[in-house]
Amino acid sequence: MQKTDDDLIRLALNRDTDAFNELVIRWEKMVYALAYRVLGNKEDAHDVCQEAFIRAYGGLKNFKGQSKFSSWLYRITLNLCHDWL
């Protein structure tokens, strides 16, 4: 049975890096696609994608679960794109 995002977040908060890697695998295409749509450059989109996951990992303890993880990650990515521009 596949774990939910909430399950993976709980595990990642308990220092399970494999759980966070699962979140990366699950959402990396969406993050990259968003960054590419906004920035229009593959290399910049790749850099922003990497930074979005770094920020998400660092801020995971602040994720309150009031929205979906994907929405929170989308917002991080969009903010990074705007900063990049």
Side-chain angles (χ1 to χ4, degrees):
M1 187 163 108
Q2 187 176 17
K3 292 182 174 100
T4 66
D5 288 350
D6 290 337
D7 294 335
L8 294 170
I9 290 166
R10 259 185 256 103
L11 291 168
L13 287 170
N14 287 312
R15 302 185 190 270
D16 183 340
T17 55
D18 289 337
F20 190 78
N21 287 337
E22 180 73 25
L23 288 167
V24 171
I25 291 166
R26 187 174 290 179
W27 295 108
E28 67 185 335
K29 288 181 183 172
M30 182 272 301
V31 170
Y32 177 82
L34 171 62
Y36 184 74
R37 275 195 315 272
V38 173
L39 302 172
N41 178 287
K42 289 180 182 182
E43 290 80 19
D44 291 346
H46 178 72
D47 290 345
V48 165
C49 184
Q50 246 184 338
E51 184 62 28
F53 284 109
I54 290 168
R55 297 243 180 129
Y57 186 74
L60 201 56
K61 63 186 175 293
N62 298 320
F63 178 67
K64 307 251 187 281
Q66 296 171 338
S67 64
K68 291 196 264 181
F69 176 76
S70 58
S71 299
W72 182 68
L73 186 57
Y74 189 94
R75 176 48 55 192
I76 290 170
T77 305
L78 199 53
N79 288 345
L80 285 168
C81 286
H82 289 145
D83 290 348
W84 195 274
L85 293 171

